[in-house]
């Protein structure tokens, strides 16, 4: 195991100066490992064996105040510590608030719980566990906890309680057999999430046990592998035997977990490409974390970086109220603020669903900004990302509302206008006049959609009361 000698802290600010790069970023290596041969650096076994696992090791690599060292030393028995050299090398060691550091390195804040609302099992998975290790919450899905081990222990992990288990995970146990038997006996189960810990830390033989048995169950359509290995230890997936095993199960989807654009490295991109080429779709779960990704610019960079490596953003989780993670939790309004800046502003395939995984085992509840502004028997008023309010008539039927003098959104419901457009709308300003044929013959320059037939209501008329029929609306 790596035991760095006491020495002056290395300045790796030069290798961390890649904030302006579009992910995937450049390969990184902390100076303490700069002389490690590439063959060793790329060996997942070397990475695992040399992972940082104690505060004593951390103090030689990062600066801490004496009080902080004492505080995080007391946390060692509460939650495991493991940081592979690869992932540690992504940290800017000169920045105590570095977003990679916050995810991996213990903080004295983990001992605080000002709200009193932190739980060891916030999702009550144990209460929805008909057999040990299996959670059956949704009608057609189950989750299997296959190992307590991870390549890197995230400081906000919902399942900290499980990672403290010691031993007994290497071989196939009676509990493993019972989990498979439960899935086999319950034909309503279509989707099995193989989780942990991280199932890609399992010995190949035990992982094969799960995959081959689940593949053989005809009513199981999907096997999801929940793993952070592509992010924290991509070298594990340099192994073609592991890729081949995952591919052989045929039903496998990869659920991975990038939280910050700096995690999207050439190494991570390489293994994602290997998984995709082997026929496995990749979805990403991110957790909204204070100081890590709780601003719009960082989130957009993360999501666009994921699209570049063909990883689909799937969920953005609000951080669970798990013991020791309160300092990571933002307001729900912060999550909605970020979502407001995504929909319409970037490709829809890059926008995750923002969810709260609710207490009492209530499951994932999606949250989004309000796009339904008002409604009547005849129409609804919808808001788009630009702030444009649009009257949408869902059914093909005569109107039922008696005309009444009114304005604004109420006027839209009356049908006096079809839209209210904010001043200075850039998209409307881009629309160019086109030559169209008039009803009386000859050409005239009127705004159209470009096909010479359908007229566009000019912005000035839309905002001043045209109802699209060529007459000014009576109500504003």
């Amino acid at each position: 195991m790596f035991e760095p000698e006491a020495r002056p802290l290395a300045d790796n600010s030069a290798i961390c100066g890649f904030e302006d790069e579009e992910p995937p970023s450049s390969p990184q290596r902390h100076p303490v490992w700069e002389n490690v041969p590439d063959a060793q650096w790329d060996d997942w076994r070397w990475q695992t064996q040399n992972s940082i696992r104690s505060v004593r090791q951390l103090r030689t690599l990062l600066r801490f105040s004496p009080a902080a060292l004492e505080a995080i030393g007391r946390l060692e028995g509460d939650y495991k510590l493991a940081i592979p050299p690869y992932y540690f090398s992504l940290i800017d060691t000169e920045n105590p608030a570095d977003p990679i550091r916050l995810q991996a390195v213990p903080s004295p804040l983990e001992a605080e719980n000002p709200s009193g609302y932190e739980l060891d099992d916030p999702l009550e998975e144990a209460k929805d566990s008909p057999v040990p290790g299996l959670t059956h919450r949704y009608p057609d899905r189950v989750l299997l906890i296959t190992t307590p081990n991870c390549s890197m222990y995230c400081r906000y992990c919902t399942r900290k309680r499980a990672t403290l288990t010691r031993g007994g995970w290497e071989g196939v146990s009676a509990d493993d057999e019972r989990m498979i038997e439960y899935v086999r006996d319950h034909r309503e189960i279509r989707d099995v999430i193989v989780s942990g810990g991280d199932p890609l830390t399992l010995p190949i033989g035990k992982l094969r046990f799960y995959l081959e048995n689940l593949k053989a169950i005809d009513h199981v359509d999907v096997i999801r592998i929940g793993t952070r290995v592509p992010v924290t230890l991509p070298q594990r997936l340099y192994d073609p035997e592991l890729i081949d095993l995952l591919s052989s199960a045929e039903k496998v989807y990869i659920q991975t977990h990038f939280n910050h654009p700096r995690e999207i490295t050439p190494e991570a991109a390489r293994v994602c490409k290997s998984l995709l080429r082997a026929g496995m779709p990749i979805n990403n779960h991110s957790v909204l974390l204070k100081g890590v990704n709780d601003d719009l610019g960082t989130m957009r960079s993360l999501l666009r970086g994921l699209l570049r490596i063909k990883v689909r953003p799937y969920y953005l989780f609000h951080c669970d109220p798990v013991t020791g993670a309160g300092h990571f939790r933002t307001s729900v309004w912060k999550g909605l603020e970020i979502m407001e800046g995504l929909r319409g502003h970037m490709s829809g395939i890059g926008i995750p669903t923002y969810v709260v995984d609710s207490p009492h085992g209530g499951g994932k509840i999606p949250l989004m900004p309000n796009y339904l502004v008002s409604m009547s028997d005849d129409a609804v008023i919808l808001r788009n990302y630009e702030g444009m309010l649009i009257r949408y008539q869902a059914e093909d039927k005569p109107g039922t509302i008696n005309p009444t003098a009114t304005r604004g959104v109420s006027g839209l419901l009356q049908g006096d206008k079809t839209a209210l457009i904010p001043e200075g709308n850039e998209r409307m300003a881009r629309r160019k006049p086109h030559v169209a044929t008039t009803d009386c013959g000859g050409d005239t320059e009127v705004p159209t959609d470009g096909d010479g037939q359908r007229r566009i209501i000019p912005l000035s008329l839309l905002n001043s009361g045209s109802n699209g029929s060529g007459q000014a609306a009576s109500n504003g």
Side-chain angles (χ1 to χ4, degrees), residues 274-338:
S274 296
L275 291 164
L276 290 164
R277 284 178 171 172
M280 287 166 279
I282 310 175
N283 295 318
N284 187 70
H285 293 173
S286 295
V287 178
L288 182 61
L289 300 169
K290 187 180 292 184
V292 176
N293 56 18
D294 63 331
D295 68 273
L296 180 58
T298 298
M299 189 60 69
R300 283 183 180 176
S301 181
L302 169 63
L303 301 176
R304 286 175 175 144
L306 291 172
L307 290 181
R308 286 189 196 99
I309 62 171
K310 297 188 177 179
V311 173
R312 178 198 168 212
Y314 183 43
Y315 280 132
L316 173 61
F317 284 95
H318 198 80
C319 185
D320 293 326
V322 67
T323 302
H327 58 293
F328 284 113
R329 305 184 74 219
T330 71
S331 67
V332 168
W333 309 125
K334 174 58 69 175
L336 292 173
E337 170 195 322
I338 289 172

Side-chain angles (χ1 to χ4, degrees), residues 1 4-5 22 71 78 105 125 127 136 146 161 184 202 279 297 303 307 328 339 359-360 374 397 416 430 460-462:
M1 182 181 291
E5 299 175 358
E22 293 283 345
D78 296 334
V105 175
E125 291 179 325
K127 293 181 180 179
H136 193 172
T146 61
R161 67 191 188 282
R184 190 178 289 120
L202 285 169
L303 301 176
L307 290 181
F328 284 113
M339 295 304 297
H360 308 295
S374 191
K397 67 176 187 178
D416 294 338
R430 285 198 304 268
S460 58
L461 291 181
L462 265 175

Side-chain angles (χ1 to χ4, degrees), residues 378-395:
D378 292 345
V380 293
I381 309 304
L382 305 175
R383 176 184 68 82
N384 81 341
Y385 75 101
E386 301 166 306
M388 184 175 176
L389 300 183
I390 302 154
R391 183 181 195 273
Y392 182 75
Q393 186 169 325
E395 296 178 86

Side-chain angles (χ1 to χ4, degrees), residues 127-148:
K127 293 181 180 179
D128 285 324
S129 183
V131 298
L134 181 148
T135 298
H136 193 172
R137 173 169 298 142
Y138 299 98
D140 68 340
R141 278 150 286 170
V142 294
L143 179 142
L144 312 184
I145 298 178
T146 61
T147 175

